[in-house]
């Protein structure tokens, strides 16, 4: 599953995971979802089989039946592996810098994942997300691209997250500002735009100005989270 930053890849994978969990609980199917962040794949030489099994152990507990029966479940196709952020595998960025220089060598963890999915666990469904421009390609993967939102979807989004009295003015401001409207096609950016009153949004004249505001907002939120609670 390919898409640009902020298009909702992680959100979609989590939604799919919850949908599969509910279907399993309702006995609508036998598929057991395993959601994993690729950013946790720290050991460069760790095989994909071990990484997925360890991730399942952390999710279900080391003594869980799912862990004990992991190999059988994997080979029989009873698992759905949802790996979020292939591009976030630690150290993988360096390989793409090598690619740009004509010296690209695929990360061994990525090769191991492809081998697991296409040779050893051919009955198991793998869903992997990655930023479009950081995907090196794999002939055996079926690609699904998440596109930017169209005008109708942007309008639906704004209606969902903006007070009714401000919706029309908010949309008018976006339509009159082409750089801002292009950013608004990305759900992550639009969500932060809807937190601004229209009179503030109208003062933002460029993509760079909005990104400056966003970085400032995110830094403030991190500072707020990291501040210790002080006794009174």
């Amino acid at each position: 599953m390919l898409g640009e930053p902020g298009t909702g890849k992680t959100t979609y994978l989590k939604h799919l995971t919850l949908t599969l969990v509910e279907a399993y609980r309702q006995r609508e199917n036998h598929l057991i979802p395993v959601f994993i962040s690729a950013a946790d794949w720290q050991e460069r030489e760790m095989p994909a089989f071990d990484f997925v099994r360890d991730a399942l152990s952390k999710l279900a507990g080391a003594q869980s039946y799912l862990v004990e029966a992991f190999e059988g479940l994997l080979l029989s196709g009873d698992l759905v592996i949802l790996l979020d952020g292939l591009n976030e595998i630690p150290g993988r960025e360096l390989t793409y810098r090598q690619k740009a220089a004509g010296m690209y060598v695929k990360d061994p963890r990525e090769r191991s994942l492809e081998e697991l999915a296409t040779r050893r666990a051919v009955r198991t469904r793998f869903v992997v997300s990655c930023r479009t421009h950081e995907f090196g390609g794999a002939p055996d993967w079926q690609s699904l691209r998440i596109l930017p939102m169209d005008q109708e979807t942007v309008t639906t989004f704004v209606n969902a997250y903006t007070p009714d009295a401000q919706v029309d003015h908010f949309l008018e401001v976006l339509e009159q500002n082409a750089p801002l409207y292009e950013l608004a096609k990305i759900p992550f950016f639009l969500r932060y735009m809807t937190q601004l009153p229209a009179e503030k949004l109208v003062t933002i004249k460029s993509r760079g100005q909005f990104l400056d505001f966003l970085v400032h907002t995110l830094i403030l939120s991190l500072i707020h989270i990291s501040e210790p609670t002080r006794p009174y």
Side-chain angles (χ1 to χ4, degrees):
M1 183 171 63
L2 305 175
E4 297 306 316
T7 51
K9 299 183 297 298
T10 299
T11 300
Y12 178 76
L13 282 190
K14 289 182 176 180
H15 172 74
L16 179 57
T17 301
L18 292 174
T19 300
L20 289 170
V21 167
E22 185 60 26
Y24 182 81
R25 287 175 174 171
Q26 298 296 328
R27 299 185 179 181
E28 295 174 2
N29 65 47
H30 64 281
L31 299 174
I32 303 169
V34 183
F35 180 91
I36 313 170
S37 173
D40 294 332
W41 204 339
Q42 298 286 341
E43 297 182 33
R44 187 175 177 83
E45 301 304 324
M46 174 181 275
F49 180 91
D50 295 343
F51 174 66
V52 174
R53 182 186 57 197
D54 288 356
L56 179 59
S57 178
K58 292 176 183 177
L59 288 169
Q63 306 304 317
S64 169
Y65 156 77
L66 296 176
V67 178
E68 295 178 4
F70 171 70
E71 184 169 10
L73 293 170
L74 189 70
L75 298 181
S76 65
D78 289 321
L79 299 179
V80 179
I81 310 302
L82 302 107
L83 182 68
D84 183 44
L86 185 68
N87 54 283
E88 296 177 6
I89 291 179
R92 181 178 181 269
E93 182 181 359
L94 294 176
T95 65
Y96 282 90
R97 290 176 181 170
Q98 293 169 352
K99 180 182 179 181
M103 301 180 294
Y104 173 64
V105 178
K106 186 169 287 188
D107 189 283
R109 291 161 290 188
E110 192 172 347
R111 289 201 308 271
S112 177
L113 177 67
E114 291 176 17
E115 290 171 1
L116 178 65
T118 59
R119 297 182 185 179
R120 188 173 181 183
V122 293
R123 294 184 178 179
T124 290
R125 298 164 176 83
F126 287 77
V127 184
V128 181
S129 70
C130 185
R131 292 181 179 177
T132 304
H133 64 282
E134 294 187 49
F135 182 60
D140 294 314
W141 292 113
Q142 179 181 358
S143 295
L144 171 68
R145 295 178 183 270
I146 299 181
L147 301 176
M149 295 189 294
D150 58 20
Q151 184 176 3
E152 181 180 353
T153 310
V154 169
T155 300
T156 301
F157 195 107
V158 171
N159 273 283
Y161 289 100
T162 305
D164 292 343
Q166 299 179 22
V167 168
D168 290 342
H169 186 38
F170 187 95
L171 290 172
E172 183 181 347
V173 170
L174 284 183
E175 291 170 1
Q176 293 175 354
N177 189 327
L180 206 58
Y181 188 79
E182 285 303 308
L183 279 179
K185 294 178 180 179
I186 305 298
F188 175 78
F189 295 135
L190 184 54
R191 183 68 185 93
Y192 278 93
M193 288 181 193
T194 59
Q195 296 178 15
L196 287 171
E199 58 269 20
K200 171 64 177 176
L201 192 65
V202 75
T203 66
I204 297 177
K205 301 298 184 182
S206 68
R207 176 189 180 101
Q209 193 176 355
F210 175 75
L211 293 178
D212 283 344
F213 156 78
L214 179 58
V215 170
H216 179 71
T217 301
L218 293 175
I219 290 174
L220 287 179
S221 65
L222 289 174
I223 292 174
H224 177 71
I225 292 172
S226 63
E227 284 181 346
T229 301
R230 298 180 181 180
Y232 291 93

